[in-house]
Amino acid sequence: MSELDLAGRVVELVRRLAGPDAQAEVVVTRADLALTRFANSFIHQNVAESATAVRLRLHADGRTAAGSGSLVDPDGLTALVERTLAATRLAPHDPAWPGLTPPVPVPSGAPVDEATAAASPDERAARVRAFVDAVEGLEAAGYCRTAHRSGAFANSAGQSAVGRSVEAAMDGIARTGGADGVARHAADRLADLDGAALGARAAAKARAAADPVELPPGRYEVVLEPAAVADLLQNLSWYGFNGKRHAERQSFAEPGRAQFDPAVTLVDDPLHASGLPYDLEGTPRRPLTLVEAGTTAAVAHDRRSGAEAGTGSTGHGMVGASTFGPLPRNLRLLPTGGAAEVAAGQLSAGVTGAVADPDTAGLVAGMARGLLVSDFWYTRVLDPKQLVVTGLTRNGVWLVEDGVPTRAVRDFRFTESYPRAMGPGRVLGLGRVPVRQPDRMDGFWWEAPALRLASWNFTGGASG
Amino acid sequence: MTEFDAATAAVQAALDAGARYADARVMHRRYESMSARNGDIEELTQDESIGLGVRALVGSSWGFHAVPELSDAAARDAGRRAAAIATASARVPGPPIELVPVEATVASWASACDVDPLGVPLSDKGDLLARATATMREHGADLAEGLYQIWDTAKWFVSSEGHRIDQRIRECGGGISATSIGDGETQRRSYPSYRGQYGTTGWELVTSLDLAAHAARIAEESRELLTAPECPSGETDLILGGEQLALQIHESVGHAIELDRILGWEAAFAGTSWLDLTRLGALRYGSELMNVTIDPTIPGALGSFGFDDEGSPAVKRDAVREGRWVGVLAGRDSAAVAGLDYGGSVRADGWARLPMVRMTNVGLEPGPHTLDEIIAATDDGVLMDLNRSWSIDDKRLNFQFGCEVGWEVKKGRRGRMLRNPTYTGIGPVFWRSMDMLSSEIVPWGTPNCGKGQPGQTGHTGHPAAPARFRNVRVGVRA
């Protein structure tokens, strides 16, 4: 039975058991997820799961409840509907129920690479083998993963949608003498992941990170590599462009105001790469420009927050959005010159040493004195309104003098307001080649080039 | 076909496909959560999931496969696939793997539960949250939020060594928080902690919290914080409340003593540890007041169970004794690699996830004082409580925590409320500076410990009490 058939069957069960006035929305997702993990240069964990999840949200007599289950036989589906209906009857009144998505067309998503959908553990292991070989005796650790999702949506208002999505990602470090170098890449096709190139890049950076010196805390000009920029995008998404937090006045975002440097254009672009073309509420997903040349343009909404704001949904319904809020999860920081001029995903092209990437090298070349930062780690929000974040650098920091990385530097702790750091006049340069970074969960990704900022507030050395 | 039958079929299929060891877990979990905001119910969710995960060891390589079906055919297919994945792992092989011995056990275990949390009427649970959040709103909170969560998990475990164990573990908890929004900043107060208090227990835990009784106070305190003076910046004596100290233990002790991290198995993601196994038994971790145990047998604590997900029985062990590092959290394979003779700390957050080294209840044994005595003995310092933010480096050394609230302590008395309190330090330096510890131990539950790829959310417990630390850097500014 197809996912759409399953979803339709649940809608029909609701009609039969709850009556014609009950409003139901059903999401069915089949997932084949596999992840091969390596550490100390061998595969130490290797997992795969095949699962189907059915999620039902039900609104009846002014009350709402949601339920999900993993059993898709007739008894399992009936049990899901019965227990969700029972929960709905006992649930408190829900005056803010926004109603169901009406019938609207849903675009087809990004093309699905069938080879990635059917990838074997041997194919993932081969990329790990290539990574481990490429680090040439350094210790290697990381993962190679593939994800294939096939889904459908149906609701009792007549909306339906189907979609498929695949993603492949590789994330690895090379280690030598206490220094780590990282390489990370998400792609639409497993074939686009080059374990050897990633391993070589990680190794070059690890070797360049050896024997670090301690620098005093303070404000430094920085070039952030795409891995570090991904952290900026993630926190801006979760705490800034989240429509619910915006409605609650917990977000810095003020649509219509020039809150960022004119070089900054941010687009949530779910159809650009791996992802289903509809959200949890059946709303079509489409590009949403959040920042246009420095001016905040929009925040993300699901049906509930969109109704509260009077703007409608932007296609960001997701599990947890009722409580945490709707999140942009496919954010692109557009590179210099606009998106059309660049090809995403290129990695090292012969540049060795600390930068290991010609695009980043171009930004570093313009810096008189500052720091090159590979990656951020364990970032947490101290104040959500100003989006003040603390965290640490990881996987390599270098002092740059007269455009050249001269010394590896010990990790720093920083405390910085992300929107302020990217504010008007503070972006000194953007790379030309965006690199897509995987999130911890497939379906989330962050795409950005390297970024040069006028100032970053390092508040202490990590070693003391 | 019973759950044990399915697990047995999966294990046998893995052995038939070449595994020298295999185990399988069937897990059936029911989950319910409800959240409320400003007097209204915001979301009610009930999930139910059942499936089987099988782990196979071929040579010295692991494979794991999980399916949502319990038919004989599906179980056998899962076993075969786990063995095939393990065979693929051998393309990048590691050192030989053995498993420390565990007695093959046939047993049943269930956590204590006076009031079945899923049996409490939804309307009663909704009323509880709606009333508490409405009260916070009436007392000035811009955002009044409440939440409870319930997990009811049944597990059936079978191994090729003869284990056959079933367990039923019921966990629940909840809490409330009030947020006040000022010009350019927000302030929040929570009760009893940021996400609430959780335990391996029944609804009696939530009832005992009496959420509504604390609603007005925290709402008023969140508004008061907007105009309170900033926490001073500099070095001072720091008194931590028990809830914040629980997170300090979690981050700077619990994760640091995870053997998979110490061995480098989590290097690329969760990180490693500053601890070196060659110094186990000798390293000075903290002051002599510091006694930390690993104890999954504590009744009602969130990290409690009868057997871990490798079939090892729950056993209390020392992690730090009189300030000296003496124990780790281990699994059967990691312990064998390290030359240790115990596992017992391996769990998975669902049938589709690989069991891995996890904290159980990692906490402090009580000290000789009370919080009042600690304050009375402090001439100049800051008291902080309830976590607001947490960040620690990948070796679990450098940390910075923010708390919801601070108070001046001057000449033995608690003074003005302070806003935006933060403190920072290095784990062993910090723990060595602990010079007063209270006896007022509470086993705080942490239901959101993230680790592993694919990500897993662990449930851990942390007995902790207020304590004093000397010369700590506080008040870090952006």
Side-chain angles (χ1 to χ4, degrees):
Chain A
M1 186 181 288
S2 74
E3 292 81 15
L4 189 58
D5 290 339
L6 274 174
R9 179 168 287 198
V10 175
V11 170
E12 186 51 40
L13 274 169
V14 170
R15 210 168 268 140
R16 183 141 48 89
L17 295 171
D21 293 336
Q23 299 179 54
E25 60 185 20
V26 183
V27 177
V28 178
T29 308
R30 283 201 168 116
D32 292 296
L33 312 175
L35 190 146
T36 301
R37 259 186 128 184
F38 56 107
N40 298 332
S41 300
F42 72 95
I43 293 174
H44 68 118
Q45 292 174 7
N46 203 349
V47 302
E49 70 172 270
S50 302
T52 301
V54 183
R55 187 177 191 278
L56 165 66
R57 186 164 68 165
L58 192 50
H59 181 79
D61 299 326
R63 300 163 197 277
T64 311
S68 70
S70 63
L71 296 174
V72 296
D73 59 13
D75 289 347
L77 296 180
T78 302
L80 169 64
V81 173
E82 285 176 342
R83 72 169 178 270
T84 308
L85 181 58
T88 306
R89 285 177 177 142
L90 291 168
H93 200 65
D94 178 11
W97 170 249
L100 298 175
T101 303
V104 288
V106 172
S108 53
V112 167
D113 177 54
E114 298 298 341
T116 303
S120 71
D122 283 323
E123 290 173 273
R124 288 182 293 277
R127 281 164 179 78
V128 173
R129 176 82 268 164
F131 190 104
V132 169
D133 289 346
V135 304
E136 295 180 330
L138 273 56
E139 282 185 7
Y143 72 76
C144 176
R145 79 179 183 207
T146 54
H148 171 220
R149 292 182 189 273
S150 174
F153 174 91
N155 70 21
S156 55
Q159 169 69 339
S160 66
V162 294
R164 291 176 68 206
S165 166
V166 293
E167 181 187 300
M170 196 158 187
D171 179 350
I173 59 170
R175 324 192 73 205
T176 178
D180 298 347
V182 67
R184 199 174 282 155
H185 189 203
D188 294 335
R189 306 185 324 143
L190 182 60
D192 291 340
L193 294 182
D194 185 339
L198 290 164
R201 180 162 191 252
K205 294 184 73 67
R207 291 191 178 98
D211 194 21
V213 296
E214 191 109 28
L215 285 188
R219 290 197 164 273
Y220 289 84
E221 186 180 324
V222 290
V223 169
L224 306 179
E225 294 186 358
V229 181
D231 186 81
L232 269 63
L233 301 188
Q234 183 177 14
N235 278 295
L236 289 168
S237 284
W238 281 60
Y239 297 95
F241 301 115
N242 173 332
K244 181 176 178 184
R245 296 187 78 89
H246 179 258
E248 292 171 345
R249 296 187 295 126
Q250 293 202 85
S251 160
F252 70 84
E254 295 180 40
R257 249 193 81 197
Q259 295 185 287
F260 293 87
D261 189 272
V264 175
T265 293
L266 288 170
V267 181
D268 185 60
D269 199 352
L271 303 182
H272 172 70
S274 309
L276 294 170
Y278 55 88
D279 73 357
L280 193 72
E281 298 173 317
T283 305
R285 302 181 72 200
R286 59 181 185 273
L288 176 68
T289 299
L290 301 167
V291 177
E292 175 83 58
T295 298
T296 301
V299 296
H301 287 295
D302 60 4
R303 288 187 65 75
R304 201 176 277 269
S305 73
E308 258 185 65
T311 60
S313 173
T314 55
H316 289 85
M318 55 190 292
V319 173
S322 296
T323 49
F324 191 81
L327 310 174
R329 56 191 189 188
N330 305 114
L331 205 51
R332 301 173 65 199
L333 172 61
L334 298 189
T336 303
E341 295 183 19
V342 297
Q346 289 176 14
L347 290 168
S348 173
V351 175
T352 58
V355 291
D357 168 63
D359 198 44
T360 308
L363 286 182
V364 168
M367 191 155 66
R369 188 173 192 277
L371 297 172
L372 169 64
V373 177
S374 281
D375 204 358
F376 287 148
W377 166 248
Y378 221 129
T379 55
R380 290 293 184 272
V381 174
L382 295 176
D383 181 79
K385 182 94 175 174
Q386 301 175 54
L387 198 46
V388 174
V389 175
T390 188
L392 298 127
T393 60
R394 193 182 186 189
N395 297 323
V397 181
W398 294 270
L399 175 65
V400 176
E401 295 171 298
D402 298 326
V404 178
T406 52
R407 287 302 307 264
V409 176
R410 283 192 191 280
D411 280 320
F412 277 107
R413 174 170 291 286
F414 66 87
T415 306
E416 181 60 87
S417 162
Y418 280 11
R420 188 171 64 199
M422 297 173 72
R426 290 171 176 262
V427 175
L428 304 182
L430 277 165
R432 298 179 62 82
V433 181
V435 180
R436 199 189 316 160
Q437 302 289 304
D439 194 271
R440 293 175 185 183
M441 288 178 284
D442 65 281
F444 285 59
W445 47 257
W446 316 97
E447 187 177 285
L451 174 65
R452 183 178 158 202
L453 298 175
S455 175
W456 196 260
N457 185 27
F458 294 98
T459 45
S463 56
Chain B
M1 187 158 185
T2 68
E3 290 84 359
F4 273 132
D5 291 340
T8 303
V11 166
Q12 188 58 52
L15 296 176
D16 293 345
R20 66 182 173 96
Y21 169 84
D23 59 31
R25 273 173 309 113
V26 172
M27 283 181 69
H28 178 193
R29 172 172 278 177
R30 290 186 294 162
Y31 169 77
E32 180 181 291
S33 73
M34 191 188 290
S35 60
R37 183 171 64 138
N38 297 343
D40 293 323
I41 298 307
E42 192 169 51
E43 184 160 42
L44 165 60
T45 298
Q46 295 180 324
D47 300 331
E48 183 168 14
S49 178
I50 185 166
L52 175 150
V54 55
R55 193 170 66 143
L57 184 60
V58 175
S60 282
S61 297
W62 285 108
F64 175 85
H65 196 265
V67 291
E69 297 174 59
L70 302 184
S71 68
D72 184 67
R76 288 183 185 281
D77 188 52
R80 280 191 291 271
R81 285 173 182 259
I85 290 170
T87 303
S89 299
R91 290 181 69 137
V92 193
I97 286 180
E98 297 301 329
L99 304 175
V100 294
V102 174
E103 189 178 343
T105 305
V106 177
S108 290
W109 187 86
S111 59
C113 175
D114 292 341
V115 180
D116 177 4
L118 292 177
V120 176
L122 282 168
S123 52
D124 289 0
K125 291 184 275 197
D127 286 348
L128 179 76
L129 295 183
R131 192 167 65 249
T133 56
T135 301
M136 287 188 283
R137 189 86 165 134
E138 288 159 14
H139 285 262
D142 291 306
L143 279 171
E145 297 168 293
L147 167 76
Y148 76 74
Q149 297 181 89
I150 299 164
W151 300 265
D152 186 343
T153 306
K155 304 185 195 185
W156 296 263
F157 175 78
V158 169
S159 82
S160 59
E161 295 175 342
H163 290 89
R164 193 178 168 93
I165 299 167
D166 67 272
Q167 298 188 81
R168 183 165 180 203
I169 299 174
R170 284 186 276 198
E171 304 157 300
C172 71
I176 55 175
S177 67
T179 301
S180 291
I181 300 170
D183 291 334
E185 71 172 35
T186 63
Q187 293 295 339
R188 171 181 172 127
R189 290 290 281 131
S190 304
Y191 171 81
S193 80
Y194 175 58
R195 283 176 201 80
Q197 169 66 315
Y198 292 84
T200 302
T201 180
W203 190 251
E204 60 273 14
L205 169 66
V206 178
T207 304
S208 72
L209 296 174
D210 199 0
L211 298 177
H214 296 266
R217 173 182 61 82
I218 65 170
E220 288 160 4
E221 287 180 0
S222 74
R223 290 224 72 81
E224 194 181 340
L225 275 172
L226 286 175
T227 53
E230 282 268 341
C231 177
S233 188
E235 278 197 6
T236 190
D237 288 350
L238 172 67
I239 303 169
L240 291 182
E243 189 266 355
Q244 172 57 33
L245 195 59
L247 192 69
Q248 180 80 46
I249 295 165
H250 178 99
E251 300 290 358
S252 71
V253 182
H255 279 305
I257 62 171
E258 291 169 344
L259 186 53
D260 55 350
R261 298 178 62 110
I262 294 169
L263 294 174
W265 296 358
E266 287 290 325
F269 177 55
T272 58
S273 172
W274 65 280
L275 294 169
D276 172 355
L277 276 175
T278 63
R279 301 190 67 193
L280 181 64
L283 178 78
R284 174 65 53 190
Y285 207 118
S287 75
E288 292 191 349
L289 277 173
M290 186 186 187
N291 291 294
V292 177
T293 60
I294 299 163
D295 187 2
T297 70
I298 299 171
L302 191 63
S304 295
F305 48 78
F307 298 85
D308 79 350
D309 284 342
E310 291 187 311
S312 301
V315 173
K316 179 179 178 180
R317 299 183 191 284
D318 282 345
V320 178
R321 181 55 52 191
E322 294 179 347
R324 211 161 33 89
W325 175 44
V326 294
V328 299
L329 294 148
R332 295 183 64 191
D333 57 354
S334 54
V337 168
L340 303 173
D341 63 357
Y342 60 88
S345 299
V346 165
R347 288 187 289 166
D349 82 348
W351 54 266
R353 291 290 177 266
L354 180 73
M356 62 191 306
V357 175
R358 279 300 202 170
M359 282 179 242
T360 62
N361 298 307
V362 177
L364 278 167
E365 292 185 346
H369 299 289
T370 66
L371 174 59
D372 287 344
E373 288 169 355
I374 293 172
I375 292 171
T378 302
D379 191 48
D380 186 6
V382 177
L383 165 63
M384 298 186 194
D385 204 10
L386 264 69
N387 184 261
R388 187 176 182 187
S389 69
W390 62 103
S391 174
I392 189 163
D393 73 22
D394 57 344
K395 291 185 176 59
R396 299 282 148 174
L397 273 172
N398 176 288
F399 60 80
Q400 180 172 315
F401 292 108
C403 291
E404 287 186 356
V405 62
W407 290 272
E408 280 180 347
V409 176
K410 297 281 187 194
K411 295 187 169 64
R413 291 179 177 276
R414 184 193 300 216
R416 297 181 302 173
M417 188 182 271
L418 303 170
R419 68 179 166 146
N420 301 330
T422 59
Y423 68 99
T424 188
I426 301 293
V429 177
F430 179 79
W431 284 107
R432 286 170 202 156
S433 77
M434 181 171 72
D435 73 338
M436 294 187 83
L437 175 62
S438 155
S439 60
E440 298 145 319
I441 293 279
V442 173
W444 290 96
T446 300
N448 65 316
C449 175
K451 189 179 173 186
Q453 294 172 304
Q456 300 192 39
T457 303
H459 294 183
T460 68
H462 304 290
R468 186 175 76 176
F469 300 83
R470 311 303 297 264
N471 302 319
V472 178
R473 186 183 170 204
V474 304
V476 179
R477 298 269 187 277

